[in-house]
Amino acid sequence: MNFIAATVELRAIITDPINAYGLDYRGADAVIPAANSSGEVKLRALCFNRGGPKLDTFLEWKPGTRALVTGYLVFSDDTSQPLDFLVTTIEPNIPQDMYCNQVVLGNAFFGSDEIKERRNGQIAIKIGTTLDNSDVTTWLFMELHESRKTKLTDRVRKGRGICVHGYIREYRKEGDTSPYRAIVANDFSTRKERERTSSSNQTTGSAKGYGSADIDPTPEY
Protein backbone atom coordinates (compact mmCIF):
# COMPACT_ATOMS: atom_id res chain seq x y z
CA MET A 1 0.00 0.00 0.00
CA ASN A 2 1.42 3.38 -1.04
CA PHE A 3 0.29 6.37 1.04
CA ILE A 4 0.39 9.98 -0.16
CA ALA A 5 -0.43 13.38 1.32
CA ALA A 6 -0.11 16.21 -1.20
CA THR A 7 -1.39 19.57 -2.32
CA VAL A 8 -3.11 18.70 -5.59
CA GLU A 9 -4.22 21.18 -8.24
CA LEU A 10 -7.41 20.37 -10.14
CA ARG A 11 -7.41 20.53 -13.91
CA ALA A 12 -10.94 19.20 -14.63
CA ILE A 13 -13.63 16.99 -13.14
CA ILE A 14 -14.23 13.91 -15.30
CA THR A 15 -17.90 13.91 -16.25
CA ASP A 16 -18.60 10.19 -16.44
CA PRO A 17 -18.36 7.82 -13.46
CA ILE A 18 -15.36 5.48 -13.49
CA ASN A 19 -15.31 1.80 -12.58
CA ALA A 20 -11.86 0.79 -11.35
CA TYR A 21 -10.46 -1.81 -8.96
CA GLY A 22 -13.94 -3.32 -8.61
CA LEU A 23 -15.55 -0.09 -7.33
CA ASP A 24 -17.35 2.95 -8.74
CA TYR A 25 -15.61 6.32 -8.51
CA ARG A 26 -15.94 9.92 -9.61
CA GLY A 27 -12.73 11.13 -11.17
CA ALA A 28 -10.69 14.23 -11.89
CA ASP A 29 -7.62 15.16 -13.90
CA ALA A 30 -5.16 16.76 -11.49
CA VAL A 31 -1.47 17.40 -10.85
CA ILE A 32 1.00 17.88 -8.07
CA PRO A 33 2.21 21.30 -9.26
CA ALA A 34 5.79 22.15 -10.16
CA ALA A 35 7.72 25.17 -11.41
CA ASN A 36 6.85 24.20 -14.99
CA SER A 37 4.52 21.73 -16.70
CA SER A 38 7.33 19.29 -17.59
CA GLY A 39 7.87 18.63 -13.89
CA GLU A 40 4.26 18.20 -12.80
CA VAL A 41 3.16 14.82 -11.45
CA LYS A 42 0.04 13.92 -13.39
CA LEU A 43 -2.77 12.23 -11.47
CA ARG A 44 -6.19 10.74 -11.99
CA ALA A 45 -7.88 11.47 -8.66
CA LEU A 46 -10.59 8.94 -7.78
CA CYS A 47 -13.21 9.55 -5.09
CA PHE A 48 -15.53 6.70 -4.12
CA ASN A 49 -18.96 7.34 -5.62
CA ARG A 50 -21.02 7.41 -2.44
CA GLY A 51 -23.08 10.40 -1.41
CA GLY A 52 -21.68 12.37 1.50
CA PRO A 53 -19.48 15.34 2.48
CA LYS A 54 -16.31 13.92 0.92
CA LEU A 55 -17.87 13.33 -2.50
CA ASP A 56 -19.67 16.70 -2.36
CA THR A 57 -16.38 18.49 -1.64
CA PHE A 58 -14.63 16.58 -4.42
CA LEU A 59 -17.28 17.49 -7.00
CA GLU A 60 -17.36 21.14 -5.87
CA TRP A 61 -13.57 21.45 -6.27
CA LYS A 62 -12.81 24.36 -8.59
CA PRO A 63 -10.43 23.91 -11.56
CA GLY A 64 -7.14 25.72 -11.05
CA THR A 65 -7.30 25.56 -7.24
CA ARG A 66 -5.35 23.41 -4.81
CA ALA A 67 -6.62 21.07 -2.12
CA LEU A 68 -4.76 19.10 0.52
CA VAL A 69 -5.55 15.48 -0.31
CA THR A 70 -4.57 12.20 1.32
CA GLY A 71 -4.99 8.73 -0.05
CA TYR A 72 -3.24 5.93 -1.89
CA LEU A 73 -1.15 5.93 -5.04
CA VAL A 74 -1.80 3.13 -7.51
CA PHE A 75 0.91 2.44 -10.10
CA SER A 76 0.00 0.66 -13.32
CA ASP A 77 2.22 -1.10 -15.85
CA ASP A 78 1.42 1.64 -18.41
CA THR A 79 3.79 4.49 -17.51
CA SER A 80 2.25 6.76 -20.16
CA GLN A 81 -0.90 7.06 -18.03
CA PRO A 82 -1.30 9.34 -14.98
CA LEU A 83 -0.96 7.77 -11.56
CA ASP A 84 -4.24 6.87 -9.89
CA PHE A 85 -4.79 8.65 -6.58
CA LEU A 86 -7.51 7.04 -4.44
CA VAL A 87 -8.80 9.88 -2.25
CA THR A 88 -9.40 9.23 1.45
CA THR A 89 -9.60 12.85 2.69
CA ILE A 90 -9.78 16.24 0.95
CA GLU A 91 -9.43 19.76 2.38
CA PRO A 92 -9.87 22.64 -0.09
CA ASN A 93 -9.60 25.44 2.49
CA ILE A 94 -5.83 25.94 2.27
CA PRO A 95 -3.52 28.76 1.12
CA GLN A 96 -3.20 28.47 -2.65
CA ASP A 97 0.59 28.74 -2.50
CA MET A 98 0.82 25.83 -0.04
CA TYR A 99 2.91 22.86 -1.19
CA CYS A 100 3.02 19.34 0.23
CA ASN A 101 4.23 16.11 -1.39
CA GLN A 102 4.85 13.21 1.00
CA VAL A 103 4.78 9.58 -0.08
CA VAL A 104 5.37 6.27 1.67
CA LEU A 105 5.88 3.29 -0.65
CA GLY A 106 5.00 0.29 1.48
CA ASN A 107 5.24 -2.44 -1.15
CA ALA A 108 8.42 -1.61 -3.05
CA PHE A 109 11.45 -3.76 -3.76
CA PHE A 110 14.93 -3.38 -5.19
CA GLY A 111 14.78 -3.89 -8.96
CA SER A 112 18.54 -3.81 -9.44
CA ASP A 113 21.85 -4.08 -7.58
CA GLU A 114 23.36 -1.19 -9.56
CA ILE A 115 23.75 2.12 -7.75
CA LYS A 116 24.00 5.04 -10.18
CA GLU A 117 25.88 8.24 -9.42
CA ARG A 118 23.92 11.41 -10.20
CA ARG A 119 24.78 15.09 -10.16
CA ASN A 120 24.49 17.35 -7.12
CA GLY A 121 25.50 14.66 -4.64
CA GLN A 122 22.66 12.27 -5.49
CA ILE A 123 22.61 8.53 -6.10
CA ALA A 124 19.81 6.45 -7.61
CA ILE A 125 18.74 2.85 -7.90
CA LYS A 126 15.93 1.15 -9.80
CA ILE A 127 13.03 -0.08 -7.68
CA GLY A 128 9.71 -1.71 -8.43
CA THR A 129 6.28 -1.60 -6.83
CA THR A 130 3.30 -3.90 -7.31
CA LEU A 131 -0.44 -3.75 -6.92
CA ASP A 132 -1.95 -5.62 -3.98
CA ASN A 133 -1.80 -9.39 -4.58
CA SER A 134 -1.02 -8.81 -8.25
CA ASP A 135 1.65 -9.47 -10.86
CA VAL A 136 1.27 -5.91 -12.20
CA THR A 137 4.62 -4.18 -11.60
CA THR A 138 5.83 -0.69 -12.39
CA TRP A 139 9.41 0.55 -12.27
CA LEU A 140 10.82 3.84 -11.06
CA PHE A 141 13.98 5.19 -9.47
CA MET A 142 14.69 5.80 -5.81
CA GLU A 143 16.92 8.86 -5.52
CA LEU A 144 18.95 9.44 -2.36
CA HIS A 145 21.55 11.82 -1.00
CA GLU A 146 25.04 10.36 -1.29
CA SER A 147 25.27 10.23 2.52
CA ARG A 148 22.94 7.19 2.32
CA LYS A 149 25.27 5.29 -0.02
CA THR A 150 26.86 3.14 2.70
CA LYS A 151 23.46 2.07 3.98
CA LEU A 152 22.20 1.41 0.47
CA THR A 153 25.29 -0.60 -0.47
CA ASP A 154 24.89 -2.69 2.67
CA ARG A 155 21.17 -3.35 2.19
CA VAL A 156 20.71 -3.66 -1.57
CA ARG A 157 19.79 -7.05 -2.96
CA LYS A 158 17.70 -7.43 -6.10
CA GLY A 159 14.17 -8.43 -5.13
CA ARG A 160 14.51 -7.46 -1.45
CA GLY A 161 11.47 -5.64 -0.08
CA ILE A 162 11.85 -2.03 1.09
CA CYS A 163 9.69 0.71 2.56
CA VAL A 164 10.51 4.19 1.24
CA HIS A 165 9.57 7.66 2.53
CA GLY A 166 10.04 10.71 0.33
CA TYR A 167 8.30 12.67 -2.39
CA ILE A 168 7.23 11.66 -5.89
CA ARG A 169 8.54 13.48 -8.94
CA GLU A 170 8.17 13.18 -12.70
CA TYR A 171 9.94 14.79 -15.61
CA ARG A 172 8.78 14.79 -19.23
CA LYS A 173 10.98 15.57 -22.19
CA GLU A 174 9.20 17.17 -25.11
CA GLY A 175 7.72 14.47 -27.34
CA ASP A 176 8.05 11.64 -24.78
CA THR A 177 4.87 9.72 -23.92
CA SER A 178 6.21 8.32 -20.63
CA PRO A 179 7.85 10.43 -17.91
CA TYR A 180 10.99 9.82 -15.91
CA ARG A 181 9.53 8.88 -12.53
CA ALA A 182 11.27 8.75 -9.16
CA ILE A 183 10.72 8.90 -5.45
CA VAL A 184 13.23 11.23 -3.85
CA ALA A 185 13.77 9.40 -0.58
CA ASN A 186 14.40 10.91 2.82
CA ASP A 187 15.16 7.38 3.97
CA PHE A 188 14.23 3.74 3.48
CA SER A 189 13.96 0.66 5.66
CA THR A 190 14.32 -3.06 5.13
CA ARG A 191 13.44 -6.13 7.13
CA LYS A 192 16.45 -7.79 8.76
CA GLU A 193 17.60 -10.77 6.75
CA ARG A 194 18.51 -13.86 8.72
CA GLU A 195 20.84 -16.62 7.69
CA ARG A 196 19.05 -19.71 6.52
CA THR A 197 19.73 -22.76 8.62
CA SER A 198 18.91 -26.36 7.91
CA SER A 199 17.44 -28.47 10.66
CA SER A 200 18.05 -32.15 11.05
CA ASN A 201 15.32 -32.55 13.65
CA GLN A 202 12.80 -34.51 11.61
CA THR A 203 9.59 -35.59 13.27
CA THR A 204 8.97 -38.71 11.21
CA GLY A 205 8.70 -41.06 14.16
CA SER A 206 9.44 -44.64 13.16
CA ALA A 207 7.90 -44.32 9.69
CA LYS A 208 10.12 -45.39 6.81
CA GLY A 209 10.58 -43.85 3.36
CA TYR A 210 11.39 -40.25 4.33
CA GLY A 211 15.14 -40.33 3.63
CA SER A 212 16.65 -39.06 0.39
CA ALA A 213 17.93 -42.56 -0.31
CA ASP A 214 14.38 -43.91 -0.02
CA ILE A 215 12.93 -41.93 -2.92
CA ASP A 216 11.66 -44.31 -5.58
CA PRO A 217 12.60 -43.97 -9.25
CA THR A 218 10.17 -41.97 -11.41
CA PRO A 219 7.61 -44.29 -13.02
CA GLU A 220 7.18 -44.17 -16.78
CA TYR A 221 3.44 -43.88 -17.07
Side-chain angles (χ1 to χ4, degrees):
M1 187 174 291
N2 302 315
F3 175 78
I4 180 170
T7 44
V8 178
E9 188 170 303
L10 179 66
R11 290 288 182 261
I13 293 291
I14 299 171
T15 305
D16 296 328
I18 296 168
N19 183 269
Y21 315 111
L23 296 172
D24 292 324
Y25 294 94
R26 294 299 307 271
D29 294 322
V31 299
I32 299 175
N36 53 65
S37 59
S38 63
E40 292 176 338
V41 179
K42 293 186 177 182
L43 304 168
R44 182 177 71 161
L46 298 174
C47 185
F48 184 54
N49 195 7
R50 177 178 58 200
K54 183 174 74 171
L55 182 61
D56 291 344
T57 300
F58 183 83
L59 295 176
E60 292 168 2
W61 193 3
K62 302 300 182 184
T65 64
R66 298 183 187 185
L68 179 62
V69 187
T70 66
Y72 303 104
L73 277 181
V74 181
F75 295 84
S76 76
D77 54 355
D78 185 353
T79 57
S80 67
Q81 297 300 311
L83 294 171
D84 277 349
F85 187 154
L86 307 185
V87 176
T88 56
T89 67
I90 179 170
E91 175 53 75
N93 298 314
I94 62 169
Q96 288 303 294
D97 59 352
M98 178 179 171
Y99 183 82
C100 176
N101 178 352
Q102 292 291 296
V103 174
V104 177
L105 298 186
N107 61 339
F109 58 91
F110 288 119
S112 171
D113 296 323
E114 181 184 3
I115 300 172
K116 298 179 180 291
E117 302 284 347
R118 295 283 174 83
R119 294 177 297 177
N120 302 321
Q122 298 289 311
I123 57 176
I125 191 166
K126 186 179 181 180
I127 64 172
T129 184
T130 59
L131 296 181
D132 181 38
N133 196 34
S134 171
D135 292 326
V136 175
T137 303
T138 193
W139 304 99
L140 65 158
F141 280 94
M142 178 174 71
E143 299 178 345
L144 293 151
H145 188 264
E146 61 185 359
S147 61
R148 303 286 187 191
K149 187 173 183 179
T150 299
K151 177 180 178 179
L152 182 59
T153 303
D154 180 62
R155 304 286 183 89
V156 65
R157 177 182 59 74
K158 187 176 181 180
R160 185 180 189 181
I162 54 174
C163 182
V164 186
H165 170 241
Y167 66 89
I168 194 80
R169 80 176 186 95
E170 292 182 345
Y171 178 75
R172 290 171 176 79
K173 292 183 179 179
E174 187 175 352
D176 286 355
T177 56
S178 296
Y180 169 84
R181 183 175 288 158
I183 180 167
V184 183
N186 296 323
D187 205 352
F188 69 95
S189 63
T190 58
R191 184 177 180 181
K192 183 177 178 62
E193 291 189 317
R194 302 184 183 278
E195 293 184 7
R196 296 182 180 181
T197 59
S198 58
S199 175
S200 59
N201 298 324
Q202 298 181 3
T203 56
T204 58
S206 60
K208 308 303 180 185
Y210 286 94
S212 59
D214 297 321
I215 298 175
D216 296 336
T218 302
E220 296 182 3
Y221 295 111

